Amino acid sequence: MAKLIMWNLMTLDGMVEGPNRDISWHEAVWGKELEQLSIEQLNAAGGLMFGRVTYQLMASYWPTASGESGEIADFMNAAPKYVFSRTLTRSDWNNTQMFGADVPGTVARLKRESKKDIFLFGSADLAASLVRHGLIDEFRIGIAPVTLGGGTPLFKPDERVKLRLIDSRAHSTGVVILRYEPAK
């Protein structure tokens, strides 16, 4: 059975995006180390999972991405993508499956059927619903040395989850990659 791994960049004050969906602060921590980590994670992934908003942002960028991000773009475009949305029912981005109902049951089934781990990118609202159902097996969080003072928090105020640290690694750009699993 595959693990569901949530991967997100987050600010010191807990935001995954600033007001108006601003993620320009990602540029401050992006570098060779984070690029290499991204490639390693993509090579380990059997599929990518998104909520609607993150999916639409990814689908508007990756199909035409090239240049420096070529290897990542090739993977993003070829990988199986699982999208959860109450409003979208179809996708023009290749290898994408859309789901609208029974999120916990569908995610559990995808984990059972996948031979490789599934990565949940962004998608704070979807992540919150999966946390409530105990479906996230690992939390990988890149803490960026910046505060935004507002935006979208990664964890919702009513969420309470006890985690156990399994790894931490600092990068030269100041981002710290933390890996946690649910505490038993």
Side-chain angles (χ1 to χ4, degrees), residues 17 19 67 75 82 94-95 130 164 172 179:
E17 62 185 7
F75 178 86
Y82 311 114
N94 63 312
N95 217 8
L130 298 175
R164 184 180 77 78
S172 60
R179 293 179 54 211

Side-chain angles (χ1 to χ4, degrees), residues 7-93:
W7 163 242
N8 269 301
L9 284 178
M10 179 175 81
T11 62
L12 279 172
D13 58 350
M15 302 299 150
V16 291
E17 62 185 7
N20 301 313
R21 305 215 181 277
D22 176 30
I23 59 168
S24 62
W25 53 274
H26 285 201
E27 295 168 20
V29 297
W30 186 257
K32 285 290 182 194
E33 295 159 303
L34 201 50
E35 179 181 19
Q36 184 59 40
L37 175 63
S38 296
I39 291 168
E40 288 170 14
Q41 291 184 142
L42 292 175
N43 287 331
L48 306 175
M49 189 173 292
F50 305 106
R52 179 192 56 81
V53 173
T54 302
Y55 163 76
Q56 287 180 310
L57 292 169
M58 296 284 193
S60 71
Y61 177 77
W62 287 112
T64 58
S66 60
E68 242 180 65
S69 59
E71 185 177 356
I72 295 172
D74 290 346
F75 178 86
M76 295 295 289
N77 290 316
K81 292 167 278 295
Y82 311 114
V83 180
F84 290 87
S85 172
R86 290 180 296 274
T87 57
L88 296 178
T89 57
R90 63 183 265 315
S91 170
D92 293 329
W93 195 11

Side-chain angles (χ1 to χ4, degrees), residues 87-126:
T87 57
L88 296 178
T89 57
R90 63 183 265 315
S91 170
D92 293 329
W93 195 11
N94 63 312
N95 217 8
T96 300
Q97 294 180 56
M98 307 298 280
F99 302 99
D102 188 22
V103 174
T106 302
V107 170
R109 179 181 57 78
L110 291 170
K111 288 172 56 174
R112 281 191 309 274
E113 292 174 355
S114 182
K115 293 184 182 358
K116 293 173 76 177
D117 294 339
I118 300 168
F119 281 75
L120 170 63
F121 289 168
S123 309
D125 290 338
L126 176 59

